[in-house]
């Protein structure tokens, strides 16, 4: 965990709970060393996108953070643990700067790994963001295909020129050693270009699925009601393809560990899913296909 931002600089904005989340994160990153900034920028930018850049940092609540963690763990991205560590470090500093009331950092739960772990298997391996099916591409609903097409158009026609302008503006400061805006813009450019290549590939090779199959079997497009057997709580997920993933509304990738485990399951089936936070023990209660 990095040192307090106060140890790096006194340039943080004045304490205020109505500070926009994007501004708070930018201020925090600008006061870290270049090495620390490079390690945390991507994770914190994803955090900002999830909540919305204009959301005030002081309005974030423990239930908000719980939902963020649940959906992040359900997707089980390869950087899930690192992302949560970055968020916890930011929230710790946010409390010191009085941007938030209370210690929200304690709401970020990182479970320790078991001392004895089973040998790695395909089940515990991180899933790629876009996994081919057979000799073709990923499976997509028509809605997902249309959304990916719209995203690609937005990135190519709007984001590319915008980032190029940001880089030119930041480059006006010739001292690149501590040029946080330039570093952030450069990293953002790399992320956007990588996403463009990914979208181009999936749209060229993807298979649009119009029929979800048997009504009682969980598959692409299914809305699945589950019982968490550990917490005795009900969870509802909709299994979607690229372009439709929306963790805040329970739409998770069919290629995620949870999505893979549920595919082909029917009412009454139980599954155990390994995620960064531990093992999920789930029972299928209901399957709805459109």
């Amino acid at each position: 965990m990095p040192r307090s931002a106060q140890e790096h600089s006194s340039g943080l904005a004045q304490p205020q709970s109505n500070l926009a989340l994007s501004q708070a994160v930018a201020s925090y990153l600008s006061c870290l060393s270049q090495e620390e900034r490079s390690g945390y920028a991507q994770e914190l930018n994803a955090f900002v996108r999830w909540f919305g850049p204009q959301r005030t940092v002081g309005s974030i609540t423990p239930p908000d953070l719980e939902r963020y963690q649940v959906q992040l763990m359900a997707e089980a991205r390869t950087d899930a643990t690192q992302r949560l560590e970055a968020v916890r470090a930011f929230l710790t500093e946010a409390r010191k700067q009085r941007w938030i009331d209370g210690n929200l950092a304690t709401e970020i739960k990182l479970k320790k790994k078991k001392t004895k772990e089973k040998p790695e298997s395909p089940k515990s391996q991180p899933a790629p963001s876009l996994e081919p099916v057979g000799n073709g591409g990923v499976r997509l609903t028509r809605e997902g295909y249309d959304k990916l097409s719209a995203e690609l158009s937005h990135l190519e026609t709007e984001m590319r020129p915008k980032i190029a302008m940001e880089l030119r503006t930041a480059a006006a400061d010739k001292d690149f050693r501590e040029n946080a805006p330039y570093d952030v813009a450069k990293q953002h450019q790399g992320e956007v270009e990588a996403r463009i290549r990914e979208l181009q590939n999936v749209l060229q090779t993807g298979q649009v699925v119009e029929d979800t199959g048997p009504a009682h079997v969980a598959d692409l497009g299914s809305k699945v009601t589950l019982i968490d057997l550990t917490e005795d709580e009900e969870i509802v997920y909709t299994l979607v393809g690229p372009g439709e993933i929306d963790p805040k509304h329970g739409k998770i990738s069919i290629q995620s560990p949870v999505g893979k485990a549920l595919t082909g399951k029917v009412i009454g089936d139980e599954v155990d899913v390994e995620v960064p936070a531990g093992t999920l023990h789930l029972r299928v209660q209901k399957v709805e296909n459109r």
Side-chain angles (χ1 to χ4, degrees), residues 54 91 208 243 264:
Q54 299 308 313
L91 292 174
V208 177

Side-chain angles (χ1 to χ4, degrees), residues 5-26:
Q6 291 177 318
E7 296 178 24
H8 292 286
S9 170
S10 60
L12 285 172
Q14 291 299 315
Q16 50 182 321
S17 61
N18 63 347
L19 190 67
L21 183 58
S22 59
Q23 293 177 306
V25 167

